[in-house]
Amino acid sequence: VEGVSGLRVQGVRIDGWQDAALDLRDARDAEFRQLELLAMPGRRNEVGIRLAGRLEGVLVEDAVIRAVQVGVELDGVTLDGVETTPDATSPMPAPGVVIRDVLIARPAVGLEIRSPGGVLVERSTMVDPEVAVRLAEGASPRAGRLLRNLVVWQPSRLRAFGEGAASARPEGITWGESLWWSAELPTALSILGAIPGSLEQPPRYGP
């Protein structure tokens, strides 16, 4: 979907695809609610949701993405304006894209970041990712914020909190409150590496 304005999509299920189930580019005032994106054997099922180009006023809410290579891919999102949130230490740029209440189950990579700005990911859950966040080659995110999210996995499923190319720069990613839960914690902390980006609050680990 490219170049749209005022689009509303609700209650759509997609079973199996090749490149991306939802590929949104250069759009404004677009809302996607109650999506079910379910991978199928025999298809590549590469990306659940890809958001790219200039996006303003885009909302993805109450979605399920299951068994894909990459749950959500962010590339080139732009932003305008400033907002203040109750738990922020300083004003944050108003997000051009809000991803809220999304479940990403058993992806190879939960969130892949290329070069976005103005993205808020909140109240979302990753279940059994192999890698939670991946920074692509040359990634230099601006004003990407992750707030009140949960990552939960079975022992030995998660390989790393984050991974990225040597040229990637994670400084623009900010983590608010988050919970990382697995029966292998805290023992596995020494092998899972660092959470990419800066931390507004120390992450909580469980159990």
Side-chain angles (χ1 to χ4, degrees), residues 49 90 103 113 124 150 188 196:
I49 297 174
S90 61
L103 170 64
I113 298 174
S124 293
L150 168 66

Side-chain angles (χ1 to χ4, degrees), residues 94-204:
V97 172
V98 175
I99 299 170
R100 177 185 298 134
D101 298 326
V102 172
L103 170 64
I104 305 172
R106 294 192 67 80
V109 177
L111 180 65
E112 179 163 300
I113 298 174
R114 294 184 175 273
S115 187
V119 176
L120 172 63
V121 181
E122 66 175 349
R123 300 199 317 249
S124 293
T125 301
M126 296 182 201
V127 178
D128 283 341
E130 294 180 24
V131 175
V133 179
R134 181 168 68 194
L135 302 180
E137 184 74 35
S140 182
R142 307 171 307 283
R145 193 159 186 249
L146 297 95
L147 180 63
R148 294 187 292 271
N149 297 297
L150 168 66
V151 182
V152 57
W153 66 95
Q154 299 179 32
S156 300
R157 170 69 180 181
L158 185 70
R159 292 190 288 105
F161 290 142
E163 67 178 22
S167 60
R169 301 181 60 185
E171 295 87 350
I173 304 171
T174 302
W175 290 84
E177 180 182 0
S178 61
L179 173 61
W180 304 73
W181 195 98
S182 176
E184 67 180 2
L185 294 178
T187 306
L189 286 176
S190 61
I191 62 173
L192 292 174
I195 298 173
S198 59
L199 303 176
E200 286 181 352
Q201 300 180 32
R204 293 185 296 144

Side-chain angles (χ1 to χ4, degrees), residues 17 19-23 35 37 45-51 60 63-74 99 102-113 125-126 129-134:
W17 58 91
D19 184 38
L22 170 62
D23 190 329
L35 304 180
L37 310 178
N45 308 303
E46 188 69 26
V47 179
I49 297 174
R50 175 181 292 130
L51 304 174
V60 178
V64 175
I65 305 169
R66 193 175 301 276
V68 297
Q69 294 300 308
V70 177
V72 176
E73 180 185 294
L74 302 171
I99 299 170
V102 172
L103 170 64
I104 305 172
R106 294 192 67 80
V109 177
L111 180 65
E112 179 163 300
I113 298 174
T125 301
M126 296 182 201
E130 294 180 24
V131 175
V133 179
R134 181 168 68 194

Side-chain angles (χ1 to χ4, degrees), residues 1-5 7 22-28 52-55:
V1 181
E2 185 171 3
V4 299
S5 178
L7 179 66
L22 170 62
D23 190 329
L24 182 68
R25 299 169 182 269
D26 300 323
R28 62 185 304 165
R54 183 176 179 83
L55 301 174

